[in-house]
Amino acid sequence: VSQSRYLARRIDIIKMNICQKRDPSETNVAFMDAYVKRLGSDEWICIAKNVHNVLTNGGRDFIHNQSYTNSSAGTIGSIYLAVSADSAAPAAGNTTLASEIASGGLTRALSDTHTHSNGTNTSTVEHTFTASATHTAVHKAALFNASSSGTLTHAAAFSSDVTLASGDQLKVTFTLTLG
């Protein structure tokens, strides 16, 4: 075995020992692992384990665009707004918007505005509803990725219930920041 091959193997063994260490206190962070397999060997050698992953600006912009501003069929983002008279607090486990209002001008709608400026970490999804009937106790709003059913992605309660008469408008704006 040549000296350079011996040194490379020795470095791989040292790296493998480093790769076996893990900081259990780090959670909810993206990591990268990397391994090398040398020519003529069946052994995979760890050269990087649990290396912190950086979300790039382009990656962040992609997530915002796919999640909140994309209006192409099949990959549409969360750009439909709905409102509800349900008084229960929104919860992460919700999959539907209980008591979603589906009449009187407050039917789920495609947002008037859904924007993200590249290089920023914020998207805005906004819609103005015009009531065509009287509504009492409008309590919360939500974002979906479809005009009916679909995935409920965000929900928030108003600070107080809203009563609307026919002709009143309700403007709902979700400002979404990642990371």
Side-chain angles (χ1 to χ4, degrees):
V1 178
S2 72
Q3 185 172 3
S4 62
R5 191 69 148 153
Y6 172 78
L7 291 174
R9 179 78 176 132
R10 184 74 186 130
I11 290 169
D12 288 343
I13 291 169
I14 292 167
K15 287 180 181 175
M16 188 164 39
N17 289 334
I18 292 169
C19 289
Q20 293 170 353
K21 295 180 181 177
R22 174 180 275 177
D23 183 357
S25 67
E26 295 191 53
T27 60
N28 299 323
V29 180
F31 290 95
M32 185 262 318
D33 296 339
Y35 296 83
V36 67
K37 185 177 180 182
R38 300 247 180 242
L39 181 63
S41 172
D42 293 327
E43 185 179 0
W44 285 99
I45 306 295
C46 176
I47 59 170
K49 183 80 171 168
N50 298 323
V51 176
H52 180 64
N53 213 321
V54 175
L55 176 62
T56 66
N57 292 337
R60 182 190 62 214
D61 292 338
F62 175 80
I63 291 167
H64 275 283
N65 289 327
Q66 283 299 109
S67 298
Y68 305 116
T69 65
N70 188 343
S71 59
S72 300
T75 58
I76 198 159
S78 296
I79 58 176
Y80 287 91
L81 277 94
V83 293
S84 168
D86 181 55
S87 62
N94 292 152
T95 58
T96 62
L97 183 61
S99 301
E100 181 176 342
I101 299 170
S103 64
L106 301 187
T107 302
R108 189 186 302 189
L110 178 64
S111 58
D112 299 322
T113 304
H114 40 272
T115 61
H116 168 70
S117 297
N118 287 342
T120 69
N121 200 29
T122 304
S123 289
T124 302
V125 180
E126 180 178 281
H127 185 72
T128 301
F129 295 93
T130 301
S132 60
T134 299
H135 296 277
T136 58
V138 179
H139 186 75
K140 59 187 165 186
L143 289 177
F144 288 86
N145 69 341
S147 59
S148 62
S149 299
T151 301
L152 169 63
T153 59
H154 298 275
F158 302 138
S159 54
S160 62
D161 288 352
V162 178
T163 296
L164 299 170
S166 183
D168 287 349
Q169 292 187 312
L170 173 64
K171 183 185 215 176
V172 178
T173 304
F174 277 86
T175 302
L176 308 149
T177 303
L178 295 179

